[in-house]
Amino acid sequence: GEVVHFKESVSFLGDIEVNVWLSKAEEAMRVSLGADTEASVKSAITVMTANLNSNAFFAWMDSSSSQVAVVALQVLVCQNIEADITGPSQTFTSSSEFCKSLLNMLADAVLQDLSAIRRKKAEHFIGELVHQQNVIQALEKEKTSDLDDFSWLYFMRVYYRAAEQSVLERLQVLIADASFFYGFEYQGVADRLVQTPLTDRAYLTLTQALRSRMGGSPFGPAGTGKTETVKALAGQLGRFVLVFNCDETFDLQAMGRIFLGLCQTGAWGCFDEFNRLEERTLSAVSQQILTIQTAIRRNASEVELIGRSLKLNPSIGIFITMNPGYIGRSNLPDNLKQLFRSIAMTKPDSELIAQIMLYSQGFHDAQTL
């Protein structure tokens, strides 16, 4: 597996309480990933702005963890696209050629005998670069000529602000007018969701919900990627997400205990098949969610839930997914609907998913195929 070293050791010797050293370990993880990201972005600029050399590129890729390497790539592609938008020619030749050359290099690499981690990293890069190519094509089609054009603001943009004092605030993710500090939650080398136009729409809606201190609610038939999209967005923002499969056994107390944990940790909670809860439970849960959202809007440091007062981490996110078509599903009360932004997830883009699978197997002309 992948190994990421802490920049500073964390001691758990002596009579220190478990929750204290776990908090210190969590902070050390974030600071270490932040420092790794800074080093990786600087190296990436050196490696990829000169004449692209495959040996130097793969040496850089191996030196960074998968999560950090993908983020550094996103920062670099974002810089290239913005340079093309503001450049005198206002064409996207430079950024398009950059993505194509990297894709061809990676398509050749996956045909070789690679280690499991290097292959997985290459697949992550291929998925990201195919998405960035589609972004560039959309910008060309819209004749984007300004950084404030909505056709550019619509997409996720990743910036590294080296001037920021805290290493945890240097990496920022923007979609439209919503801005987030990257969370630096270690994600491992997990499979990444293929980003399609449907995913981009979902990201825009869900991030606008977070900006408004509301919840997000993807709904649609089974197999359209509702839960996976929420998990993928958490990964893009470096956040920790917990998925709960709701059923009739979830009562108000159980939901309250989950919300207590989410509030204290600042994690995201994704409640799958939320409308399987009983209607009386849904109505009571809406009051708990409203209490949390109101406290976040007021920038409160504490919130009171199920008779307990506790610290509130403003990074919390609450998402629900629903499949309205099934028998035995409850209707959401109106007071609950008002707390969430809905996004319809209809059908996945099979063509784009197939294109990335072909690139991952070494096909250069995957888009044509």
Side-chain angles (χ1 to χ4, degrees):
E2 188 175 69
V3 178
V4 178
H5 296 281
F6 281 4
K7 297 303 174 193
E8 292 181 9
S9 58
V10 178
S11 173
F12 55 91
L13 301 174
D15 58 354
I16 187 169
E17 292 179 0
V18 174
N19 62 315
V20 174
W21 74 257
L22 278 175
S23 296
K24 287 182 177 178
E26 183 183 25
E27 184 65 17
M29 169 191 72
R30 292 201 164 112
V31 171
S32 300
L33 283 175
D36 287 349
T37 302
E38 182 168 34
S40 187
V41 168
K42 287 177 180 175
S43 300
I45 290 170
T46 306
V47 168
M48 291 192 247
T49 48
N51 291 329
L52 205 55
N53 178 289
S54 61
N55 291 332
F57 172 77
F58 285 109
W60 164 77
M61 192 172 85
D62 290 339
S63 69
S64 302
S65 64
S66 173
Q67 177 179 352
V68 166
V70 170
V71 164
L73 179 69
Q74 289 174 323
V75 170
L76 209 63
V77 174
C78 184
Q79 285 180 358
N80 285 353
I81 292 174
E82 293 206 337
D84 279 350
I85 291 173
T86 55
S89 61
Q90 289 187 343
T91 62
F92 294 90
T93 309
S94 173
S95 49
S96 182
E97 287 301 320
F98 173 74
C99 289
K100 279 177 188 170
S101 58
L102 273 182
L103 271 171
N104 289 335
M105 190 190 299
L106 289 160
D108 288 337
V110 293
L111 294 174
Q112 300 166 16
D113 188 19
L114 302 178
S115 67
I117 289 182
R118 194 185 235 200
R119 182 172 293 280
K120 190 62 80 173
K121 280 183 181 178
E123 288 173 2
H124 289 179
F125 273 43
I126 286 168
E128 183 60 38
L129 287 164
V130 169
H131 173 249
Q132 295 295 351
Q133 266 197 325
N134 293 333
V135 170
I136 292 165
Q137 287 170 8
L139 295 174
E140 284 178 327
K141 187 179 176 183
E142 294 292 329
K143 295 184 171 54
T144 306
S145 58
D146 195 288
L147 295 180
D148 291 329
D149 284 357
F150 182 70
S151 53
W152 171 232
L153 299 180
Y154 174 82
F155 294 104
M156 182 177 287
R157 292 134 24 239
V158 184
Y159 299 96
Y160 194 80
R161 321 273 196 199
E164 292 289 341
Q165 195 167 1
S166 169
V167 72
L168 299 179
E169 294 183 355
R170 288 175 190 162
L171 191 63
Q172 295 177 17
V173 183
L174 280 72
I175 301 183
D177 57 351
S179 174
F180 305 91
F181 290 123
Y182 190 79
F184 292 109
E185 180 75 35
Y186 179 62
Q187 309 284 337
V189 198
D191 290 328
R192 287 170 66 88
L193 185 75
V194 174
Q195 269 190 260
T196 65
L198 176 62
T199 319
D200 290 325
R201 279 201 305 277
Y203 282 180
L204 178 66
T205 303
L206 297 177
T207 50
Q208 285 298 307
L210 288 170
R211 181 181 173 276
S212 306
R213 304 292 189 263
M214 295 172 71
S217 171
F219 67 92
T224 50
K226 301 182 292 297
T227 307
E228 290 304 317
T229 299
V230 173
K231 287 162 67 178
L233 179 60
Q236 295 278 15
L237 300 181
R239 305 295 169 89
F240 183 46
V241 62
L242 293 157
V243 178
F244 303 93
N245 290 305
C246 298
D247 58 35
E248 297 79 7
T249 61
F250 276 60
D251 59 12
L252 184 59
Q253 288 299 314
M255 294 294 290
R257 286 193 295 272
I258 291 170
F259 289 142
L260 283 175
L262 295 177
C263 286
Q264 289 181 91
T265 59
W268 286 9
C270 179
F271 297 90
D272 219 4
E273 303 291 355
F274 190 67
N275 52 344
R276 284 177 65 184
L277 297 177
E278 293 183 357
E279 286 200 30
R280 64 173 184 270
T281 305
L282 287 172
S283 189
V285 163
S286 67
Q287 192 57 47
Q288 293 180 335
I289 296 172
L290 178 61
T291 302
I292 295 168
Q293 291 180 354
T294 304
I296 297 170
R297 287 193 190 103
R298 291 176 178 168
N299 294 318
S301 58
E302 292 192 346
V303 64
E304 190 169 320
L305 285 176
I306 58 172
R308 289 177 58 186
S309 184
L310 64 144
K311 286 186 178 178
L312 175 64
N313 187 321
S315 298
I316 181 177
I318 298 173
F319 301 87
I320 60 175
T321 72
M322 293 184 296
N323 187 335
Y326 279 136
I327 299 168
R329 298 294 192 263
S330 305
N331 291 318
L332 289 197
D334 288 340
N335 60 339
L336 189 55
K337 286 179 185 175
Q338 293 169 2
L339 306 178
F340 292 90
R341 285 268 179 93
S342 299
I343 170 75
M345 306 283 285
T346 47
K347 62 176 183 177
D349 190 334
S350 304
E351 194 175 304
L352 191 55
I353 295 166
Q355 182 186 334
I356 289 175
M357 289 174 73
L358 287 169
Y359 263 122
S360 301
Q361 298 304 315
F363 287 87
H364 280 245
D365 297 317
Q367 191 167 10
T368 312
L369 290 170

